[in-house]
Amino acid sequence: MAQSFLSVVWDIDPVFFSIGSFEIRYYGVMWALAILIGAKFFDNFCKREGLPQRVSESVFVYGTLATILGARLGHCLFYDPMEYLPQPLTIITGFRDGGMASHGAACGLLIGLWLFSRKNKLPYVWSLDRIMIPVGIGGAIVRLGNLFNSEIFGRATDLSWGFEFVRSHKWVAEYAPSAVHPTQIYEALCYLVTFLILCWLYYKKDMGRRRPGVIFGVGLIGVFFTRFFIEFIKTEQEAFEVGWVLDMGQWLSIPFVILGIWMIWYGFSRPAVEQKTVKLSEVKNIPPTKKQKK
């Protein structure tokens, strides 16, 4: 294994604060922050496009529940089915023990947004494009939560920015004293770049209205293409992945990348909408606000 002469000794307590036996961890705080930022962005989208407040409130409920449930189920079914399937109740009762999967969160969010779109009579692609923007920054924040947990890091490296995760049993048992790639930071930075690109497409290029589907497609590729390639330098999350050509995270990322390519094609295969004065609330099938009814 590589030995690093310069490295970062990461010895951060993952507990943000505690009261007796009750603990609040940085990881949970990061998830909450990602959800709140997502809600704030959607509120901005609705105000910007002339939609009533109830639409923003509705997506918070549907999006939050679907994302959390999907992330939990994704971990239990994709990464540890033998542990949870014989005792399915532990999927809920063991929630505080950890275990959330980004691919499961993505699947849950897709279902939640479909239900949200039906309830509010909005085009599904409208919801997908807008939610992808906060997903970019939210993904970066959650990866920082993994960093605080000293988990999901990479293989040994002699690069000067390698980390020594001294609180990780896996690092101590398999890598110490070598530093390893801080893949949580790599992913967070790539997701941040994706987020900035998506903001540029929405706010500067008006792609959400002009070419529905493009923002969603670009976001999927930015997030899951990043995940696919960084997995090559990550340690295996589960023992069953040892020896695989591609690990579970890579196999699960491939369908999302393909979907992203298709969505970009879908967006550019249709004529661009050029009427910049038309608000989304005036489009057919979207219910008018009370002020418009009067």
Side-chain angles (χ1 to χ4, degrees), residues 9 16 20 23 37 54 73 78 81 84 89 105 111 115 120 135 169 214 229 237 246:
V9 178
F16 180 54
E23 296 180 343
I37 289 175
R54 62 174 175 78
L73 287 172
F78 296 151
Y84 291 100
L89 192 59
I111 295 171
L115 294 172
N120 291 280
V135 162
H169 296 299
V214 170
F229 280 104
Q237 292 188 50
L246 301 177

Side-chain angles (χ1 to χ4, degrees), residues 93-123:
T93 59
F95 198 89
R96 287 193 62 192
D97 297 331
M100 306 280 272
S102 58
H103 294 93
C107 292
L109 187 56
L110 289 176
I111 295 171
L113 284 180
W114 178 74
L115 294 172
F116 158 80
S117 300
R118 288 194 62 187
K119 177 178 175 58
N120 291 280
K121 296 183 173 58
L122 287 165

Side-chain angles (χ1 to χ4, degrees), residues 152-159 161-163 165 179-184 186 233:
I152 316 181
F153 48 79
R155 298 192 176 94
T157 179
D158 58 2
L159 294 171
W161 58 79
F163 273 50
F165 291 100
V180 296
H181 286 285
T183 50
Q184 313 96 322
Y186 299 170
I233 59 172

Side-chain angles (χ1 to χ4, degrees), residues 236-258:
E236 295 84 3
Q237 292 188 50
E238 301 293 339
F240 66 78
E241 295 179 298
V242 176
W244 287 20
V245 177
L246 301 177
D247 65 20
M248 179 63 78
Q250 290 172 309
W251 285 115
L252 293 174
S253 295
I254 290 172
F256 287 103
V257 173
I258 294 172

Side-chain angles (χ1 to χ4, degrees), residues 145-170:
N146 295 130
L147 180 66
F148 280 111
N149 268 355
S150 296
E151 61 186 2
I152 316 181
F153 48 79
R155 298 192 176 94
T157 179
D158 58 2
L159 294 171
S160 60
W161 58 79
F163 273 50
E164 297 177 26
F165 291 100
V166 296
R167 288 178 179 261
S168 166
H169 296 299
K170 184 178 180 67

Side-chain angles (χ1 to χ4, degrees), residues 59 137 168 208 251 266:
V59 78
I137 189 65
S168 166
W251 285 115
Y266 170 86

Side-chain angles (χ1 to χ4, degrees), residues 60-102:
F60 179 77
V61 175
Y62 280 92
T64 301
L65 290 176
T67 300
I68 293 175
L69 289 175
R72 179 59 178 165
L73 287 172
H75 169 78
C76 297
L77 299 179
F78 296 151
Y79 290 97
D80 214 352
M82 295 300 101
E83 171 71 22
Y84 291 100
L85 289 181
Q87 307 174 75
L89 192 59
T90 58
I91 294 175
I92 299 173
T93 59
F95 198 89
R96 287 193 62 192
D97 297 331
M100 306 280 272
S102 58

